[in-house]
Amino acid sequence: MIIRSKAPLRLGLAGGGTDVSPYSDEYGGYVLNATIDMYAYCTIETTFDNKISIYATDRDEYFESESVDYLGLDGFLDLHKGIYNRIVSQFNKNLPLSFKMTTYSDAPSGSGLGSSSTMVVTILKAFVEWLNLPLGEYDIAHLAYEIERIDVGLSGGKQDQYAATFGGFNFMEFYDKGRVIVNPLRIKRWIINELENSMILYYTGVSRESANIIEEQANNVREKAEKPLEAMHELKKDALAMKEYILKGDIQTFAKYLGKSWLAKKQTARSISNGNIDRVYNIALESGAYSGKVSGAGGGGFMMFTVDPTKKLKIIKNLIENCEGQVMNFHFTKEGTQAWIIL
């Protein structure tokens, strides 16, 4: 039997960082995001040789073991191993499984599109389909969060797991004790079309480690650092405002707030921006872009810009000619993670 799954990557439009503890626990966080047609993929082939083999083809990393009830975490494919450990202990009565798993993603780790969390969701979804587990969307997203943040110990927020699981445009609320509310937004097709026409997605070519940025943000919240904390509050308010403007189709005001939020985000941690990001941002604005921001924690990865559609090609041309990254075509998607079985 073959089980396949996929889960969509997301653009963090507003409020990113307010979903990270301790800010979300103390003040509550708001995040606006949307999934796009770039995915993380997983294939599980059931076997009877009492072996476990895992191949992350995009990273060219391979792991093989006898079928055991626990795979030690040693820094090598820990997310894949962590998911297996939780599935076996929580849902399979500690009985080992035998299978071959192959995974890959359309975006590299550290891209700012939530690629690591999306990979966790798609692997989980494959196991849910294989073992017929009674887990709904909230269950899968919460379990993915626990595995990544608690079991494996990677720093980060909560929005990525929920975006990959639910899909579409969502306004998410994050509170203490792990409480999350996902509000799907019913955005009219013409607004989605206009937003796609008015956006450029640019990959800087630099993968970054988000943990240090996230830890600095968290420390600033714990220490009640005035400017970073005020900036976090601003991000939260902007997310609420941008939700309203996107629902109304007011793209120009949405773009204004996107730029405003980027300025606030840069105040939450020192390494969110750098010389390369600032250079790309300035070239885009000098070429006619309304505003822009980095998707995700910052430091590299993907950037997004809002533009006048009639000036889009000119801005793209200037970015390609003057910067070392690449422009990526994309469309927004409605569906969250999916899985299917091939007998």
Side-chain angles (χ1 to χ4, degrees), residues 171-186:
F171 182 78
M172 301 180 181
E173 305 171 50
F174 301 92
Y175 300 105
D176 62 350
K177 299 179 181 177
R179 190 162 64 96
V180 179
I181 301 172
V182 177
N183 303 284
L185 302 182
R186 295 181 61 184

Side-chain angles (χ1 to χ4, degrees), residues 169 187-200 245-246 248-255 290 305-312 330-332:
F169 283 82
I187 300 184
K188 294 178 180 177
R189 185 69 246 182
W190 75 263
I191 296 175
I192 295 175
N193 288 340
E194 181 66 10
L195 191 60
E196 286 179 351
N197 279 350
S198 303
M199 292 188 75
I200 294 171
Y245 291 120
I246 204 171
K248 294 175 182 176
D250 187 348
I251 304 301
Q252 287 205 2
T253 307
F254 173 87
Y290 294 138
F305 299 100
T306 51
V307 303
D308 179 339
T310 64
K311 299 178 181 177
K312 189 170 184 175
F330 77 96
H331 296 89
F332 292 110

Side-chain angles (χ1 to χ4, degrees), residues 69-109:
D69 59 5
Y70 182 85
L71 298 175
L73 305 183
D74 56 5
F76 186 74
L77 294 175
D78 278 355
L79 288 176
H80 298 64
K81 295 173 183 175
I83 297 163
Y84 172 79
N85 292 340
R86 180 65 82 97
I87 289 293
V88 167
S89 65
Q90 189 168 338
F91 301 103
N92 209 50
K93 300 178 180 179
N94 285 315
L95 298 175
L97 296 167
S98 180
F99 61 92
K100 180 167 71 172
M101 178 190 293
T102 305
T103 64
Y104 65 96
S105 176
D106 286 333
S109 177

